[in-house]
Amino acid sequence: MSSASAAEVIIKPQDRLQERFSQVIELLKQHRLLEESLAPEHKHAFLEESLPILSLQKKLSELHPADIAYILEGLPLEERLLVWQLVRTENDGDILLEVSDAVRETLLADMDNHEILAAAKELDADELADLAPELPKEVVHELLETLDDQQRDRVRAALSYEEDQVGAIMDFEMITIRENVALEVVLRYLRHLQELPDHTDKLFVVDKEGVLQGILPIKRLLVNDPDKLVSEVMADDPVSFRPEEDSNEAAQAFERYDLVSAPVVTEEGRLIGRLTVDEIVDFIREESESEALSRAGLREEEDIFASVWRSIRNRWAWLAVNLVTAFVASRVIGLFEGSIEKLVALAALMPIVAGIGGNSGNQTITMIVRAMALDQVSTGNTTRLLRKELTVALINGLIWGGVVGIVAWQLYGSWSLGAVMVGAMTLNLLLAALMGVLIPMTLVRLGKDPAMGSSVMITAMTDSGGFFIFLGLATIFLL
């Protein structure tokens, strides 16, 4: 087969996942049709051994827990719970970790305490710490009692940190060695292990008290003379983190230094865990999703198949704020009813001013929130940043305002109306830039998420401000 032909048959991972999802949907559809065709007294006994159910069970047994989680998130509640009952018990814990918080809640609600306990027992200490806050208290207590002292201490240690701290996402599975042994001894030790912890790209060198002395990258272990001592080839200045550090800063460091894993140490330098790239990727994804929801004014992650009432409760707060701002915008328009009656073109043109201003404001606020997440904004550069954004807004206002002004002149035969459009567009873009910088900074000063409701607030400001500026200029210069 030629290379071109081979390339044509390669299936992308996402396409393969979609294909599996479609297969599950088809089997569920067959199950529903069969269920509808049976008499009520025969349903329960027959359906448990029906061909669609057996095929679905076999299909699920072949899938990775992450793929099953993806499928569960895309199913309505009734079908989701049916599929969940068919999953192999030993995979329950891994799947619970992979699904979103909202979907996990529905799955846990369908499990009794015995089932939850059985699923959680399959997890490592760091995974248990991730899941524990969402489990019933009596289950967590019983679960801790089943752990050995080391595992119990690890879970409690991880639970003692805030969710945005390094200690909350660190992993406890790692390999430690001493610096006064030969590389050959280290190699023999690794060969005796049944398997290495995931993402093991380095070994951690500690002394008798467990204080970190350095790291031994696997590639150095493999390419150096086996007779050399660990102390001769190890790196003694590794990038390390404290458990109380912010996870955002750790994520930036992983990106900056291309890390796969990194040690987590106490203030005294004692090694207590490690961060791995998979945990960092999960954290970045969750933060990104949370920021997107917050920017839209959603209070929490929402299951797309959640009940109507729950979705209403999740969305109503910022919709109420938006309604108030809409009333303000309508009253601004009401102030200029006389002007609009005299020059109907104003009604057709004012949404352009408000819409462009809102788009520009959202661009600015997105850049500022991102810069804040990367710690690129400080008190020393705020003024310079604001001046830069205002300059961009001024130039964009003059250029695009000029374009719209020419169009308005051609449509309505009034050069003065075109000039008003240029002025209104420029002033509203300046307002959008100003608010795009001030809104997230004000939220940070108030101790809030800088993205929280930012899209709603900037749109409200540019709508009301744009209407007022445009109609005000038109009243002064055209009437």
Side-chain angles (χ1 to χ4, degrees), residues 390-419:
L390 290 174
T391 302
V392 171
L394 176 63
I395 295 173
N396 275 332
L398 292 173
I399 293 174
W400 296 110
V403 171
V404 176
I406 293 171
V407 172
W409 175 27
Q410 295 298 317
L411 286 176
Y412 299 102
S414 172
W415 68 267
S416 54
L417 177 60

Side-chain angles (χ1 to χ4, degrees), residues 24 53-65 67-68 71 83 86-91 95:
V24 170
I53 289 296
L54 293 176
S55 299
L56 184 55
Q57 199 164 24
K58 182 177 184 298
K59 173 62 65 177
L60 293 172
S61 68
E62 299 169 353
L63 298 180
H64 189 278
D67 292 345
I68 298 175
I71 290 170
V83 171
L86 299 176
V87 172
R88 289 188 304 186
T89 305
E90 60 266 27
N91 287 336
I95 295 170

Side-chain angles (χ1 to χ4, degrees), residues 107-387:
L107 300 180
L108 289 172
D110 189 58
M111 303 170 71
D112 58 32
N113 288 356
H114 175 73
E115 291 174 321
I116 296 175
L117 191 62
K121 283 182 178 178
E122 301 292 329
L123 303 177
D124 296 328
D126 58 303
E127 296 172 330
L128 285 175
D130 289 339
L131 197 58
E134 299 182 49
L135 301 181
K137 289 184 179 180
E138 60 271 18
V139 173
V140 175
H141 178 73
E142 187 175 351
L143 184 61
L144 290 176
E145 292 299 319
T146 65
L147 302 176
D148 59 43
D149 291 341
Q150 184 185 51
Q151 288 286 86
R152 190 183 303 117
D153 290 343
R154 286 176 172 179
V155 173
R156 287 174 174 165
L159 289 173
S160 67
Y161 297 103
E162 299 293 333
E163 62 179 12
D164 59 349
Q165 291 183 317
V166 165
I169 62 172
M170 66 181 174
D171 180 11
F172 298 102
E173 301 299 321
M174 54 190 172
I175 298 176
T176 59
I177 56 175
R178 298 288 174 80
E179 62 181 336
N180 58 350
V181 299
L183 298 184
E184 175 59 31
V185 174
V186 176
L187 287 168
R188 288 203 304 268
Y189 170 63
L190 294 181
R191 292 191 193 103
H192 279 88
L193 296 177
Q194 292 184 349
E195 60 179 343
L196 299 181
D198 292 338
H199 307 291
T200 297
D201 68 318
K202 58 178 66 77
L203 310 179
F204 301 102
V205 185
V206 297
D207 62 14
K208 292 182 179 180
E209 284 73 40
V211 176
L212 184 69
Q213 302 298 307
I215 59 168
L216 176 61
I218 294 293
K219 59 185 179 182
R220 293 194 187 184
L221 173 64
L222 297 176
V223 301
N224 276 283
D225 185 345
D227 294 328
K228 286 188 176 181
L229 295 178
V230 169
S231 58
E232 296 180 67
V233 297
M234 73 178 190
D236 56 10
D237 59 343
V239 176
S240 62
F241 303 95
R242 300 280 178 82
E244 63 275 6
E245 283 186 50
D246 189 278
S247 298
N248 271 309
E249 296 178 1
Q252 293 170 31
F254 262 69
E255 179 187 10
R256 187 180 306 119
Y257 301 115
D258 296 325
L259 300 176
V260 174
S261 67
V264 179
V265 297
T266 63
E267 189 174 350
E268 296 78 24
R270 188 168 60 87
L271 180 68
I272 59 172
R274 65 170 184 156
L275 283 181
T276 59
V277 67
D278 64 324
E279 293 154 352
I280 292 296
V281 169
D282 287 344
F283 173 79
I284 292 173
R285 177 181 56 80
E286 290 170 5
E287 286 292 293
S288 176
E289 291 174 353
S290 176
E291 181 181 312
L293 292 170
S294 181
R295 191 162 54 243
L298 294 172
R299 296 189 299 173
E300 60 186 26
E301 185 179 9
E302 182 182 308
D303 177 5
I304 59 172
F305 294 106
S307 67
V308 172
W309 177 240
R310 178 158 190 169
S311 295
I312 290 173
R313 286 191 293 111
N314 186 35
R315 305 178 194 187
W316 77 267
W318 282 100
L319 287 177
V321 172
N322 203 18
L323 180 61
V324 172
T325 59
F327 272 122
V328 172
S330 70
R331 294 316 307 147
V332 170
I333 296 173
L335 294 175
F336 299 95
E337 285 181 358
S339 301
I340 296 174
E341 289 176 358
K342 294 178 182 178
L343 189 56
V344 180
L346 299 179
L349 294 173
M350 63 184 183
I352 298 175
V353 177
I356 296 297
N359 185 48
S360 177
N362 274 307
Q363 289 176 342
T364 301
I365 215 164
T366 298
M367 293 295 297
I368 298 301
V369 170
R370 177 183 177 276
M372 286 181 165
L374 297 175
D375 292 328
Q376 295 173 346
V377 178
S378 63
T379 53
N381 61 17
T382 302
T383 302
R384 187 173 182 177
L385 180 62
L386 180 59
R387 187 164 58 243

